[in-house]
Amino acid sequence: MTVYKNICILLVSFLLLGFTEKSNDKQALAVTQDSVEIPVYNFESLEPLLYTNSDKIHVVNFWAMWCAPCVKELPIFQEYEKNHADVELTLVSLDFPEDIEQKLIPFLKKRNIVSTVVLLDDPNANSWIDKIDPNWSGAIPFTIIFNKEKRSYHERTFKDITDLENTINQLYNK
């Protein structure tokens, strides 16, 4: 009887391990709907997107659909990206992964958002917020502007395209 009991415990342990093991894939999943693809990352897989070895300017904006100031500034980023093909823009959504198909993709389509959008799904915000910037309170919108030599953090809403352009131009002495 104890051999049977040990085999059952071993079998249950293997089954539970299979259900709880986390994937080490760089990208947990990507949800695609009507040619709109939203990659879903944990922080470890997102972190490489926050650095570059090139001179190209990168703008990474953390936002969410439920954040009114975030939504208000999305057209500003879209306009900047349209007028500056030499800049790479990434919008990091902090919305829930289960809302991608029913809410996020329709939201992006309705507002004609064509920029790169990824979703950060990592519940350990206290850890990754400090890794991004120890001075970041966690409030959004939050924007990082960087290349291989310079980096700036902005925990605020950009008022208009001129505000964003001036911020980038001051950083890169344009």
Side-chain angles (χ1 to χ4, degrees), residues 30-39 100-101 104-110 113-115 117:
V31 177
T32 305
Q33 180 184 31
D34 299 329
S35 75
V36 177
E37 182 176 76
I38 309 291
I100 292 174
E101 290 182 59
L104 182 57
I105 290 175
F107 173 93
L108 297 171
K109 286 180 153 193
K110 181 179 179 183
I113 306 294
V114 294
S115 302
V117 176

Side-chain angles (χ1 to χ4, degrees), residues 21-155:
E21 185 177 332
K22 290 186 97 177
S23 171
N24 288 329
D25 293 345
K26 279 201 161 256
Q27 186 174 308
L29 87 128
V31 177
T32 305
Q33 180 184 31
D34 299 329
S35 75
V36 177
E37 182 176 76
I38 309 291
V40 179
Y41 294 101
N42 63 18
F43 180 72
E44 183 181 326
S45 58
L46 176 77
E47 192 172 20
L49 300 178
L50 306 179
Y51 297 93
T52 185
N53 289 324
S54 81
D55 292 322
K56 185 175 188 175
I57 297 171
H58 293 256
V59 177
V60 176
N61 176 257
F62 291 82
W63 69 286
M65 292 182 294
W66 46 263
C67 167
C70 300
V71 172
K72 185 178 179 182
E73 77 176 353
L74 285 174
I76 296 167
F77 287 114
Q78 289 285 240
E79 184 179 348
Y80 188 85
E81 182 180 38
K82 186 175 86 176
N83 296 331
H84 299 85
D86 57 329
V87 172
E88 187 169 321
L89 173 65
T90 304
L91 301 172
V92 179
S93 171
L94 299 178
D95 292 294
F96 295 113
E98 58 268 19
D99 290 339
I100 292 174
E101 290 182 59
Q102 298 300 316
K103 294 179 182 176
L104 182 57
I105 290 175
F107 173 93
L108 297 171
K109 286 180 153 193
K110 181 179 179 183
R111 288 165 179 76
N112 296 315
I113 306 294
V114 294
S115 302
T116 300
V117 176
V118 302
L119 188 131
L120 176 57
D121 180 25
D122 194 322
N124 195 4
N126 290 332
S127 170
W128 58 259
I129 287 171
D130 284 344
K131 288 179 183 174
I132 292 174
D133 179 12
N135 297 315
W136 181 17
S137 73
I140 54 175
F142 181 79
T143 305
I144 309 169
I145 302 169
F146 63 96
N147 69 6
K148 70 179 180 183
E149 294 179 5
K150 296 181 181 179
R151 174 175 294 270
S152 64
Y153 303 96
H154 307 273
E155 187 174 351

